[in-house]
Amino acid sequence: MKIFPAELVKAIDQYTIANEPIASIDLMERASMAVTSKVMELYPESNQEFSIFAGSGNNGGDGLAIARMLSQQGYRTQIYFIQTTPSTTSDTAINLGRIVPSENLTIETLKPEAVIPYVTPETVIIDTLFGSGVNRPLDAFNKHMVEYINDSGCTIISVDLPSGLMAEDNSTNDPDAIIRADYTITLELPKLALLLPENEQYVGELSIVPIGLHPKALEGFPSNMHFITNEMASKMLYKRRKFAHKGTFGHCYLIAGSQKMLGAAILSSKACMKTGAGLLTTHIPAGLQTALNIAVPEVMIDQDSNTECFTQYSSITNYDAIGVGPGLGTNTTTIATLAQLLTDARRMPMVIDADGLNILAYNKELLKTLPKFAILTPHPKEFERLAGSWNNDIEKIERLYQFAKEHSAYIVLKGAHTIVASPDGRLWFASVGNPGMATAGSGDVLTGIILSLLGQGYSPEEASILGVHLHGLAGDIAAKEESQEALIASSIVDSIGRAFKFLWEIRNL
Ligand SMILES: NC(=O)C1=CN([C@@H]2O[C@H](COP(=O)(O)OP(=O)(O)OC[C@H]3O[C@@H](n4cnc5c(N)ncnc54)[C@H](OP(=O)(O)O)[C@@H]3O)[C@@H](O)[C@H]2O)[C@@H](O)CC1
Ligand SMILES: [K+]
């Protein structure tokens, strides 16, 4: 699924109206119906009361239609229609005309000098003041409305975007003039601002509802940003052939672990095997063989002669892909050996994580020797060490583009919506995963998953995107079963199988 800027969303909207064809008021009705269904899913009990704050743009038009629909379903609904600009859009005017006040539905128009009515904290506020039409910080009256809603103590559901949030860059926005929603229900397409960590406080829990925009427009309009969906990930899966043998699925080589961090090597190894690698050889420091063997009997072991650092590696021509970094340490000898490995393995598919990345960050000349299309999997702090700091998430994305291009590498920037950046300037945002996955070893598991996919012949692009999606899905399955609190890295590994099954079911639909 593509992520489009607000102007293109508008153009897709227009294309749909012209080519489906459908009257714009009917498209608004369809969109409002989709949002109403989602709201009713969140609040199935019809004794829930709603207050809908509607602006005079089309977002407000949606709000008016949602109010009508909720009241028809038996929910008591009050509308506060905010009239600050004289120009009510034509569809919003039509929806205003469709409001027939009743016991369940009341409407009050608020003008700039109006006193804002008291809303009890039990009421759920539906915020439809502004949507994707905002291109500057809100004016004083609307900011006052936003502050009132934010301070109300009510649960807030924003439609399309939290009002006041611009669809892309908010670096010059006024943070006090943006709704802080508990839920954002966005129409059909995720907007960039909704996926950025700095906006989490405004967006709350994000859901996307299809509204039937024209498939030709969704396909044909260009964008270099994508949202990774189950459908997209499931299409990437390779079928395992009946006459395959373990050699068919690749021989992976993982260089990981140290005396204090053998766990990283264990988690990564397990994840690699669970993701379908045919063979895995794990290189660890001397003295740790038995522990690794017991923890992951499927793995072959390549022991270093040194107990403390990485000093040697076996012939890389034996392998199809290399993973390096989890729990490795950053000892001087380790740095020298990694430098040699990068030179030797110039044509190998490779994923580099954790201490591998720290070594690169503190020895930047090594970046020049990265194998082409190497995958780097930093968390934000590691990426900052590699690429320098940023002032906001839009600058961070710029940094990602530049860094991936400059080093011909795929960057997997881990976070709430992990971002994969390709060397040719495309980005993919993760749609799955949960805060329970911010736990020790979670990154080691991702490295193992990506290594496994590389070893099986997936391209670096596929391995990054599918790897991120499988990791997030497995985390979501684990959180559902055990809670986010109890989720540990091993739970993610244990759920990889179910993540695969889920994707295969979608593929075979
Ligand atoms: N995408 C789709 O397919 C569909 C989209 N739909 C819905 O349409 C929504 C977009 O509607 P929209 O374009 O009318 O914009 P919206 O945000 O409601 O209001 C803009 C108004 O606010 C004004 N304004 C702007 N900035 C301001 C400021 N700082 N302070 C004060 N005023 C400011 C601006 O005026 P102007 O900039 O001209 O001064 C304009 O009058 C979209 O989010 C979705 O909910 C569905 O109905 C159907 C399918
Ligand atoms: K809104």
Side-chain angles (χ1 to χ4, degrees):
M1 181 186 282
K2 290 177 192 161
I3 299 166
F4 293 104
E7 318 85 76
L8 280 190
V9 173
K10 204 164 200 149
I12 293 168
D13 180 19
Q14 293 307 314
Y15 185 98
T16 305
I17 290 167
N19 293 282
E20 185 174 326
I22 181 172
S24 69
I25 184 68
D26 294 336
L27 181 59
M28 185 180 271
E29 190 76 359
R30 195 157 75 194
S32 304
M33 202 109 75
V35 175
T36 304
S37 299
K38 183 72 201 175
V39 171
M40 287 174 63
E41 209 179 290
L42 291 171
Y43 294 96
E45 303 293 336
S46 65
N47 58 0
Q48 179 60 54
E49 285 193 25
F50 292 97
S51 278
I52 299 197
F53 286 79
S56 46
N58 283 339
N59 193 250
D62 294 345
L64 294 168
I66 294 163
R68 166 167 44 82
M69 291 169 189
L70 283 174
S71 68
Q72 283 165 353
Q73 294 298 322
Y75 296 88
R76 281 180 78 93
T77 310
Q78 302 92 38
I79 303 166
Y80 299 109
F81 183 63
I82 320 299
Q83 215 174 28
T84 51
T85 37
S87 54
T88 300
T89 60
S90 53
D91 289 339
T92 301
I94 295 174
N95 265 317
L96 205 50
R98 288 180 182 175
I99 296 297
V100 181
S102 66
E103 201 187 325
N104 270 348
L105 185 62
T106 59
I107 179 162
E108 191 175 326
T109 299
L110 301 179
K111 295 195 171 142
E113 64 280 7
V115 177
I116 306 174
Y118 175 70
V119 177
T120 59
E122 298 75 38
T123 306
V124 170
I125 289 182
I126 298 186
D127 151 43
T128 59
L129 291 173
F130 295 95
S132 55
V134 174
N135 47 22
R136 57 192 187 278
L138 295 188
D139 59 25
F141 175 68
N142 280 299
K143 177 177 174 177
H144 180 52
M145 292 296 309
V146 163
E147 285 172 331
Y148 173 83
I149 292 172
N150 283 343
D151 293 343
S152 65
C154 299
T155 298
I156 304 170
I157 302 177
S158 286
V159 175
D160 210 17
L161 286 146
S163 294
L165 189 72
M166 294 183 242
E168 285 85 40
D169 187 354
N170 286 277
S171 49
T172 57
N173 208 342
D174 174 358
D176 295 329
I178 305 173
I179 289 287
R180 292 166 195 272
D182 297 281
Y183 301 94
T184 295
I185 303 174
T186 205
L187 306 181
E188 181 102 27
L189 297 163
K191 285 84 188 166
L192 176 63
L194 300 176
L195 306 176
L196 302 177
E198 66 191 12
N199 298 328
E200 186 196 356
Q201 52 183 322
Y202 310 119
V203 177
E205 203 174 296
L206 175 67
S207 41
I208 300 172
V209 292
I211 62 165
L213 292 175
H214 204 293
K216 269 199 182 146
L218 297 176
E219 243 168 64
F221 282 57
S223 175
N224 59 353
M225 291 192 201
H226 300 262
F227 194 56
I228 310 170
T229 58
N230 288 324
E231 287 69 25
M232 181 183 186
S234 69
K235 280 190 191 140
M236 287 182 177
L237 292 171
Y238 291 0
K239 268 216 162 83
R240 286 168 90 93
R241 284 182 293 110
K242 182 176 166 189
F243 295 103
H245 54 87
K246 63 191 177 196
T248 317
F249 304 115
H251 190 168
C252 298
Y253 190 40
L254 174 69
I255 300 164
S258 51
Q259 297 298 329
K260 285 193 179 157
M261 288 192 284
L262 180 67
I266 293 173
L267 287 165
S268 233
S269 300
K270 275 190 183 172
C272 182
M273 290 309 299
K274 280 295 253 184
T275 305
L279 299 161
L280 168 66
T281 296
T282 300
H283 179 100
I284 44 168
L288 300 174
Q289 174 161 4
T290 310
L292 178 58
N293 236 333
I294 292 169
V296 200
E298 296 85 355
V299 76
M300 290 180 282
I301 296 175
D302 176 32
Q303 270 203 96
D304 206 290
S305 55
N306 193 296
T307 53
E308 302 307 321
C309 45
F310 171 42
T311 69
Q312 66 197 110
Y313 46 88
S314 63
S315 171
I316 54 163
T317 51
N318 296 335
Y319 307 110
D320 299 294
I322 299 178
V324 59
L328 189 64
T330 55
N331 179 294
T332 324
T333 313
T334 301
I335 297 171
T337 316
L338 178 62
Q340 187 59 48
L341 174 76
L342 291 176
T343 311
D344 279 358
R346 289 218 78 158
R347 287 180 213 298
M348 295 278 290
M350 187 182 284
V351 51
I352 307 176
D353 184 32
D355 281 335
L357 298 174
N358 290 329
I359 291 174
L360 294 177
Y362 294 118
N363 303 271
K364 294 230 164 58
E365 70 285 355
L366 293 181
L367 286 168
K368 295 195 189 78
T369 63
L370 281 182
K372 194 167 185 199
F373 302 145
I375 302 171
L376 275 51
T377 56
H379 54 59
K381 205 74 216 150
E382 287 164 343
F383 184 59
E384 191 181 323
R385 284 188 213 122
L386 282 164
S389 59
W390 49 83
N391 292 313
N392 55 61
D393 282 344
I394 296 290
E395 262 183 45
K396 181 182 76 183
I397 285 178
E398 246 345 280
R399 200 57 44 94
L400 261 177
Y401 278 130
Q402 283 164 7
F403 193 84
K405 185 172 174 209
E406 188 180 340
H407 301 290
S408 288
Y410 282 84
I411 313 300
V412 176
L413 180 63
K414 295 179 280 199
H417 288 283
T418 292
I419 307 174
V420 176
S422 74
D424 63 358
R426 287 170 300 148
L427 298 183
W428 292 266
F429 287 76
S431 60
V432 287
N434 63 80
M437 297 173 74
T439 179
S442 177
D444 305 328
V445 173
L446 177 64
T447 306
I449 292 174
I450 293 177
L451 171 62
S452 186
L453 295 171
L454 284 175
Q456 292 169 67
Y458 287 85
S459 69
E461 187 165 306
E462 291 167 330
S464 307
I465 297 169
L466 182 56
V468 162
H469 198 72
L470 278 169
H471 184 246
L473 271 182
D476 286 351
I477 292 167
K480 204 164 176 189
E481 279 174 7
E482 309 178 31
S483 79
Q484 292 186 2
E485 288 79 3
L487 191 161
I488 56 173
S490 300
S491 333
I492 306 175
V493 176
D494 292 342
S495 302
I496 292 173
R498 268 159 295 171
F500 266 111
K501 275 184 83 171
F502 174 75
L503 285 184
W504 275 115
E505 275 161 23
I506 287 176
R507 165 83 164 257
N508 295 330
L509 276 180

